[in-house]
Amino acid sequence: MRKQIRDEVISITPVDAIERDDIYRCLAWIDSGTDLCRVAKPATPPMHLVSYVVVVDDGHILLVDHRNAQLWLPPGGHVEPGEHPRVTVDRELEEELGFVASHPIEPPLFVTITTTVGLTAGHTDVSLWYVVRASRHHSFKFDEAEEGEFRDARWFPFDEVPLERTDPHMKRFLTKLENNKLLAS
């Protein structure tokens, strides 16, 4: 599985020097032989792999108001040991939004290495950003219970994403996505 994860990272064309550095750091981390997947909540090992599921439709992005992170984020989750990150995308789509992608999951568009914030802050997520196209008129279901993972889920036009309250790399991601017009629509 390590080689397949490495191949996912190698497939990414960096948008800028930050992403180029994150790719190099990510490859060194993968090649180090350390555990790549979280084996105990919230942060063992302290650096672990995440698949972001970036659902888009015609210049809009679906974000969830994540209770723990206290940010508007793409849905997604931790890659399980032995699980391919694209399988994580499929699993998280079903678990978090109650739907199945209408197209095969393609290689990630973006990679980031970020120290987390929120209620379980301080560990490092290596996030592969996968784009999934879906209609914003489709009904998504998410756990709205008081103890659920999300407070809300909403479509945002790209230029209205609350950048002050989202992943710190979101603006760079949206720029990359808009530069790749086929994925943005």
Side-chain angles (χ1 to χ4, degrees):
M1 186 57 58
R2 189 173 295 273
K3 181 189 178 319
Q4 289 134 330
I5 293 169
R6 190 177 205 289
D7 289 345
E8 292 291 272
V9 175
I10 289 172
S11 74
I12 299 168
T13 302
V15 68
D16 56 24
I18 295 169
E19 189 174 23
R20 187 173 18 266
D21 289 347
D22 282 351
I23 289 170
Y24 291 139
R25 287 177 54 207
C26 187
L27 293 173
W29 171 66
I30 292 167
D31 294 344
S32 75
T34 191
D35 286 332
L36 303 179
C37 300
R38 183 176 75 175
V39 294
K41 291 181 180 183
T44 303
M47 185 169 174
H48 47 261
L49 194 58
V50 169
S51 287
Y52 263 161
V53 184
V54 187
V55 183
V56 297
D57 179 33
D58 191 27
H60 291 73
I61 183 172
L62 180 68
L63 299 177
V64 295
D65 189 3
H66 196 278
R67 287 184 195 279
N68 183 2
Q70 302 175 337
L71 298 171
W72 284 97
L73 298 173
H78 294 92
V79 177
E80 300 291 334
E83 182 177 60
H84 192 284
R86 292 189 210 184
V87 172
T88 306
V89 170
D90 287 329
R91 178 174 53 79
E92 293 291 343
L93 275 172
E94 177 67 30
E95 289 175 9
E96 295 185 349
L97 299 176
F99 93 103
V100 176
S102 63
H103 58 84
I105 305 303
E106 296 175 9
L109 181 64
F110 197 58
V111 63
T112 57
I113 300 175
T114 310
T115 301
T116 60
V117 298
L119 303 178
T120 57
H123 63 277
T124 302
D125 283 346
V126 176
S127 302
L128 297 173
W129 299 53
Y130 291 89
V131 176
V132 174
R133 292 172 303 283
S135 170
R136 60 185 189 278
H137 305 291
H138 176 85
S139 291
F140 295 98
K141 64 177 187 179
F142 68 96
D143 184 1
E144 297 180 71
E146 195 68 29
E147 67 281 351
E149 190 173 357
F150 311 133
R151 286 187 191 98
D152 196 6
R154 263 184 50 195
W155 286 98
F156 290 91
F158 291 168
D159 62 354
E160 294 179 20
V161 170
L163 295 174
E164 70 286 348
R165 197 174 155 242
T166 191
D167 185 290
H169 304 286
M170 181 63 73
K171 184 174 182 179
R172 293 175 44 246
F173 172 77
L174 290 171
T175 297
K176 186 174 190 178
L177 183 63
E178 286 182 306
N179 288 340
N180 190 336
K181 293 294 183 195
L182 291 175
L183 293 175
S185 56

